[in-house]
Amino acid sequence: MLSMWAPDGIGEIEAGDDLTRIVADAVGSDLKDGDILLVTSKIVSKAEGRRVLAADREQAITDETVRVVARREHPNGVTRIVENRLGLVMAAAGVDSSNTPDGTVLLLPVDPDASARALRAGLRSRLGISVGVVITDTVGRPWREGQTDIAIGAAGIRVVDDLRGQTDASGRPLTVTVAAVADELAGAADLVKGKSSGRPVAVVRGLAHLLTEEDGPGARALVRVAEKDMFRLGSDEAYAAGFEAGRAASD
C-alpha cells in the first residue's frame, strides 16, 4: 500500500531558520525508516536566504538565465521559457514572486541536491532514521496545459527506475522504459501539499525499495543533456534560427 500525507505545524520560514529542526518537529514522531520526504523548494530557498530585493523581476529572471528557449509577448507582458543555471528549463527561470513581500522575489536554491543531502543527513542525525528526500518545484510542460511539480533536488533515492532489459506482461522486452519516479513522487505529493494550504512538506510511505544507502546522483541526473534534446528551441525561435542559417548559407 502507498500512503502520503502533509503534516501541519510548519509556519513561515525565514532566512537562517534550522529547516531540519522545523521539519523534524512537524513529522518526527510519524516518520519511519524507508519514508520519502517531499519538500517544496520555496521553504528551502527561504531558509537559505534566497529571497532578494527585485524592483524589476524581469532583471532577476535575466540574471538566473543561461539560455532563452522561447519568448512570447501577451497583454500582461512577456513570458520567457529559459534554461537556468541548474540546467532546468522552466518559465521565468524559477524566479517566484508569490508568497514573498512586495519588492522581493525568491530564487531557487543554489544547489537543490546539496540541500536535499543536508536535510537527509540532519534528519538521520536528529531522528536516527534513514529517509529519502526530494526537493520539488512547479513547472509547466510542452504540449500540456497546467502545471505539476517535479524533482529539482534529491538524496537517498533512485530518481529513475530503469526497467530496460525486463519484460512486459506479454513477455516482450522493455527497451526504452525508464520511469522518472522522483518526478512522479513530486507530482503526487503536491496533491496533498496543495499550493495554499500552508503544508509545504509531504511524507510518502510504501516505496522503501526506491531508497539508496548513499545519497546518489541527485535530481541533476534527470536533466536531459543538450545532445539528446530534440526541442532546444520554441517553434518560432527554431524557425527564425533555421531561416537565418539558410540565408547565411545562400550568401
Side-chain angles (χ1 to χ4, degrees):
M1 183 176 69
L2 176 67
S3 61
M4 63 180 67
W5 67 94
D8 292 312
I10 298 178
E12 182 61 29
I13 303 297
E14 300 293 342
D17 281 353
D18 184 345
L19 198 58
T20 297
R21 178 190 60 77
I22 293 170
V23 171
D25 288 347
V27 302
S29 60
D30 294 323
L31 209 60
K32 296 182 178 179
D33 274 315
D35 287 347
I36 301 172
L37 207 64
L38 286 297
V39 182
T40 302
S41 64
K42 185 169 294 187
I43 66 168
V44 178
S45 291
K46 289 180 177 180
E48 294 180 355
R50 297 289 286 162
R51 178 186 284 141
V52 298
L53 294 175
D56 182 1
R57 178 171 178 261
E58 293 302 312
Q59 184 58 50
I61 296 170
T62 298
D63 293 342
E64 291 291 294
T65 295
V66 172
R67 176 176 63 89
V68 176
V69 175
R71 181 181 184 276
R72 298 291 183 274
E73 295 185 5
H74 49 80
N76 294 321
V78 177
T79 295
R80 284 185 282 171
I81 309 299
V82 307
E83 177 186 346
N84 66 18
R85 55 183 177 72
L86 297 171
L88 300 169
V89 175
M90 50 180 31
V95 175
D96 195 347
S97 57
S98 63
N99 294 310
T100 186
D102 290 342
T104 68
V105 296
L106 278 175
L107 310 181
L108 292 177
V110 173
D111 185 343
D113 285 328
S115 301
R117 293 193 296 269
L119 183 54
R120 182 182 187 232
L123 291 171
R124 186 196 296 267
S125 174
R126 191 178 188 92
L127 302 176
I129 59 175
S130 181
V131 299
V133 175
V134 177
I135 309 296
T136 72
D137 198 57
T138 305
V139 298
R141 295 135 322 137
W143 312 295
R144 304 287 288 180
E145 293 291 347
Q147 298 84 33
T148 187
D149 271 25
I150 63 168
I152 67 168
I157 180 176
R158 286 188 283 127
V159 295
V160 298
D161 195 7
D162 192 343
L163 302 178
R164 291 173 296 182
Q166 300 184 32
T167 56
D168 65 13
S170 300
R172 290 185 292 267
L174 299 173
T175 58
V176 297
T177 304
V178 181
V181 292
D183 284 347
E184 292 174 329
L185 282 166
D190 195 47
L191 294 174
V192 294
K193 288 190 298 178
K195 297 300 183 189
S196 58
S197 64
R199 298 185 181 95
V201 173
V203 180
V204 174
R205 180 167 296 161
L207 295 174
H209 65 281
L210 295 176
L211 268 64
T212 59
E213 183 61 31
E214 302 298 324
D215 285 328
R220 186 76 188 195
L222 289 165
V223 176
R224 179 166 286 158
V225 297
E227 292 76 14
K228 295 182 178 180
D229 187 353
M230 297 174 65
F231 308 99
R232 293 283 285 170
L233 295 172
S235 56
D236 290 352
E237 290 74 17
Y239 179 87
F243 181 83
E244 288 300 324
R247 186 166 65 178
S250 65
D251 291 343

